[in-house]
Amino acid sequence: GSHYHATKETVAMCSKGTTGLRTWQACLALCQWATDNNHIFKHKKVLELGCGVGLLGCVISHLCDEITLTDYHNSVLKAAQHTLDVNSVSNGNVSVLDWSRSCVEDDNLDIVVAADVVFDPTIVPDLVKTIKNKLSSSKDTDGSRVAYICSTVRNKDTYSTFLNEISEQGLTKTEIDSSKLKCIYLFGTDTIKLIKLQLKPPVD
């Protein structure tokens, strides 16, 4: 059946020193893709990076066993918690995560998701390092952890920086057919890209 989700957000592109207080195009596309591919999230524990106001996490909470929404700005974390509360999400929580201080943790995690987090080239190395760290737990004995990163490509150079960093950090990238991504709010020449990231298997 259909689910309706309420969020409290700003229409401004940047508010209170962050871009996280509104829902962006790639988030809407990833919400639709996750719903269409709900089997991927069944019985899984999910971590969201850069959750913003929490719409994506709220949608995926209906598909998975447990989800943790993370961001850095206090105003964004409060907005995400508000979204979980008003939508009565019982299997989700909100936590602060500083990408510049991320490390490998032995956490119980199956899938990492993020939408519209590739917009500033200066934070790309920390973003990719954080993704790699979250995929690198010793508890992932079969290498099955994956990350799904959905981006609105507004600046091709910035997105290329992201792809180059993925390669440099030793992650395996698989592009998902962009024709399956739906968003009615794209502007001009903007395109949406969805990629799956995994650790490269060890060489024997």
Side-chain angles (χ1 to χ4, degrees):
S2 298
H3 291 281
Y4 294 90
H5 302 93
T7 62
K8 181 180 180 180
E9 54 189 271
T10 178
V11 295
M13 295 186 71
C14 185
S15 177
K16 299 181 181 179
T18 176
T19 58
L21 291 172
R22 62 171 288 178
T23 297
W24 296 89
Q25 296 96 322
C27 174
L28 299 173
L30 189 51
C31 285
Q32 183 64 58
W33 182 86
T35 302
D36 291 344
N37 296 273
N38 55 78
H39 62 281
I40 291 173
F41 299 93
K42 190 174 183 179
H43 304 312
K44 301 298 186 183
K45 292 185 177 180
V46 181
L47 176 78
E48 182 181 5
L49 303 177
C51 66
V53 296
L55 176 62
L56 177 61
C58 194
V59 169
I60 291 180
S61 72
H62 295 287
L63 314 176
C64 69
D65 276 2
E66 181 182 318
I67 186 164
T68 299
L69 285 65
T70 68
D71 214 296
Y72 181 69
H73 289 272
N74 188 52
S75 56
V76 176
L77 295 168
K78 287 182 178 179
Q81 186 62 59
H82 175 78
T83 297
L84 295 186
D85 292 343
V86 299
N87 291 284
S88 301
V89 173
S90 60
N91 62 335
N93 61 84
V94 175
S95 179
V96 65
L97 178 60
D98 183 349
W99 297 347
S100 68
R101 298 185 178 187
S102 74
C103 57
V104 176
E105 299 177 44
D106 286 331
D107 46 11
N108 291 310
L109 174 67
D110 300 300
I111 298 173
V112 176
V113 295
D116 262 327
V117 292
V118 182
F119 55 88
D120 179 353
T122 64
I123 64 174
V124 163
D126 285 338
L127 167 61
V128 177
K129 182 188 71 174
T130 299
I131 294 169
K132 183 178 181 179
N133 287 341
K134 293 303 178 183
L135 296 177
S136 300
S137 170
S138 62
K139 290 189 176 182
D140 182 29
T141 56
D142 59 357
S144 61
R145 285 191 183 190
V146 296
Y148 294 97
I149 313 299
C150 193
S151 305
T152 308
V153 182
R154 301 178 183 88
N155 185 307
K156 291 182 179 180
D157 290 339
T158 300
Y159 195 69
S160 292
T161 298
F162 175 57
L163 297 181
N164 290 337
E165 190 68 27
I166 287 169
S167 178
E168 289 183 16
Q169 298 245 11
L171 295 174
T172 298
K173 171 179 68 73
T174 304
E175 287 203 30
I176 294 173
D177 186 359
S178 60
S179 67
K180 294 182 170 64
L181 299 174
K182 305 165 188 173
C183 180
I184 61 174
Y185 297 109
L186 282 180
F187 302 105
T189 58
D190 289 349
T191 58
I192 290 181
K193 298 283 188 181
L194 175 60
I195 57 175
K196 179 172 77 171
L197 300 177
Q198 293 174 283
L199 293 176
K200 286 184 178 179
V203 178
D204 294 331

